[in-house]
Amino acid sequence: MRLISIERQIRFFVLGLPFFFNQPASWANDFQPQTSDFSVQIREDTVFYRVFAVYVLPEERLTLAVAEGDPNSQFELVSDGMVLPAVSGKLWQWRAPREKGLVSLKILRSAPRDSMLINVFVMVPFEQMDGEYLENYKIGHYPSLPYKNSSIYETPRGFIEVNQENQEIRISPHFQLKQFLCKQAGDFPKYMVLQERLVLLLERILARVNQAGHRCRTLHIMSGYRTPAYNQAIDNVKYSCHIYGVAADFFIDENPEDGMMDDLNGDGTSDIDDAAIVYDLIAQMSGEAWFELFRGGLAKYGKTAAHGPFVHVDVRGFHARWGK
C-alpha cells in the first residue's frame, strides 16, 4: 500500500481518523478525504480540503492565511487567471465584488505542487428582503431577538442565491450546494443560509463513517436550511437551528440508494438502531479535542409515516442532546 508522509499522518490524527496504513486498501480506494498538504485560516475556521466554499457580503474583506505547510514553500492566490497581491507571502486580504454571485479563488503552492479551490458566494444582504420575500421567494420572518443572546441565533447577514447554474457547485469535496436547499416549493432563484462550520463537521462525520466501514460517498441531507416560513409550516420550534444554516438532518443512503437509511447493523430493517450507530460515532467524536469548535446539538430519530430514521447535528455553539 502507498506510504504517506508524517505530515499527512498527523493530519489524519487531527481529523480523528486512523492512519491509512492501518486500513484495508479497498477503503483507501473507496473514500478519499481530499485534503491538501497545507491548511488555510478563514475567519475562525481552519480549512484543509481541496475545495471549500465561503459566504460573504458585497464588498466584504476576507482574510486568507496559509496556516501550515513547508515554511520554504511559495504560495499564490489566483482569480480569473490573475495573481492577486499578498499582504505577505502567505496572507491575503481579498475584497468581494459589489454584485452577488460566485467568485473562484485558488491558492497554489509551487513546490511540491498543491492547491486549494475556494468558491466564494457573494450573498444578497438581508436588508434587500421585501417583507417576507426576497425576489419572489418566500423567506418569512426571523425572530426579532436572538435566543439566549447567542450570536448563532442572530438574523442572517445575507442569503446565498441558488440557481440552475450554481446549485451543483462543490462547497466541499463531498457536498454540493443543492443538498442544503429548503424543501419548500418554488422556482429558481432560491435563497438559503449556510454556515461554513456545519459543512466542515459533516465532512469529518462522513470520513469517520467510512473509517467505521460504512461505505458512503456523501451524506443524504434530508433537511438542511429551512426558511422561517417553511419551518413554521411544518410546525417546528421557533428558534430551530435550521433557519440559521447551522443544522442538518441526514442519513446514509448508499446500499441501496433508495431514500432511506441503510441497514447498517445488518438486521434486515432500517430503524432507529441504524441511526444510533451514526449517533454513537459522532458522540465519540465529540469527546476529542478538535470537536470543541463544533459544539452543538446531536439527536437520533426513528422511522415514522413521514420519514425514515435519521440523525440531527448542529453547530449552535453549546452542548445539546435529545432524541426519540
Side-chain angles (χ1 to χ4, degrees):
M1 184 177 181
R2 180 170 59 90
L3 295 178
I4 57 176
S5 67
I6 295 298
E7 180 182 1
R8 177 72 64 154
Q9 293 175 22
I10 294 171
R11 183 180 302 277
F12 290 146
F13 178 77
V14 171
L15 275 168
L17 295 174
F19 301 152
F20 262 155
F21 54 70
N22 286 335
Q23 295 299 324
S26 60
W27 183 84
N29 292 331
D30 287 347
F31 180 82
Q32 297 291 340
Q34 297 185 36
T35 59
S36 298
D37 282 331
F38 62 89
S39 63
V40 176
Q41 191 72 24
I42 304 176
R43 300 190 182 113
E44 297 179 354
D45 292 310
T46 301
V47 177
F48 37 74
Y49 295 106
R50 292 190 182 279
V51 58
F52 196 65
V54 179
Y55 315 102
V56 301
L57 290 174
E59 299 188 280
E60 181 178 347
R61 289 191 180 277
L62 184 67
T63 299
L64 306 169
V66 174
E68 62 182 47
D70 186 339
N72 299 315
S73 295
Q74 301 296 312
F75 292 86
E76 291 180 335
L77 180 65
V78 177
S79 181
D80 290 331
M82 296 180 59
V83 177
L84 305 182
V87 176
S88 68
K90 298 180 181 180
L91 175 68
W92 300 266
Q93 288 187 335
W94 175 81
R95 188 171 184 175
R98 293 182 179 181
E99 301 299 322
K100 65 185 178 183
L102 174 64
V103 180
S104 293
L105 303 177
K106 199 163 193 178
I107 298 178
L108 303 174
R109 186 179 69 182
S110 57
R113 294 182 63 85
D114 203 354
S115 65
M116 181 182 296
L117 173 64
I118 302 173
N119 289 316
V120 184
F121 290 85
V122 182
M123 300 185 292
V124 179
F126 182 88
E127 292 74 19
Q128 292 190 18
M129 281 187 61
D130 183 9
E132 294 187 74
Y133 288 83
L134 187 55
E135 298 293 336
N136 294 318
Y137 190 74
K138 187 173 183 179
I139 301 291
H141 294 294
Y142 275 86
S144 57
L145 296 175
Y147 179 63
K148 293 186 176 181
N149 292 319
S150 171
S151 60
I152 288 293
Y153 296 95
E154 291 177 353
T155 300
R157 300 190 306 147
F159 298 93
I160 307 160
E161 183 174 283
V162 185
N163 52 48
Q164 291 279 15
E165 291 71 35
N166 71 10
Q167 63 174 325
E168 296 188 357
I169 291 290
R170 291 279 169 188
I171 57 175
S172 69
H174 304 96
F175 294 94
Q176 296 174 287
L177 192 63
K178 66 181 182 181
Q179 290 176 265
F180 297 87
L181 273 173
C182 183
K183 305 302 182 185
Q184 76 181 36
D187 296 328
F188 289 107
K190 301 181 179 183
Y191 296 89
M192 63 182 285
V193 179
L194 184 59
Q195 299 297 327
E196 295 91 343
R197 189 165 292 177
L198 174 66
V199 180
L200 288 173
L201 177 58
L202 291 172
E203 280 285 353
R204 288 173 180 259
I205 291 170
L206 179 65
R208 185 64 63 90
V209 163
N210 276 274
Q211 179 265 321
H214 307 294
R215 306 297 190 260
C216 189
R217 292 166 293 178
T218 187
L219 302 174
H220 184 104
I221 308 299
M222 186 177 82
S223 183
Y225 174 64
R226 296 177 192 157
T227 65
Y230 181 80
N231 190 67
Q232 184 178 18
I234 63 173
D235 200 28
N236 203 3
V237 295
K238 178 180 179 180
Y239 285 98
S240 169
C241 285
H242 288 275
I243 71 174
Y244 299 98
V246 297
D249 298 338
F250 70 90
F251 53 86
I252 297 172
D253 183 19
E254 191 81 16
N255 184 30
E257 192 171 349
D258 59 358
M260 187 70 68
M261 171 75 84
D262 285 355
D263 175 18
L264 301 181
N265 63 6
D267 67 356
T269 186
S270 173
D271 56 25
I272 196 169
D273 291 339
D274 300 301
I277 290 175
V278 181
Y279 177 101
D280 289 343
L281 286 173
I282 301 169
Q284 292 169 12
M285 295 167 68
S286 69
E288 298 168 13
W290 62 266
F291 202 92
E292 180 65 19
L293 285 175
F294 299 88
R295 286 178 301 171
L298 173 61
K300 58 181 180 290
Y301 290 83
K303 185 177 182 180
T304 71
H307 59 72
F310 67 90
V311 174
H312 167 100
V313 294
D314 64 62
V315 288
R316 69 181 69 190
F318 57 89
H319 179 88
R321 296 288 184 273
W322 70 95
K324 297 179 179 179

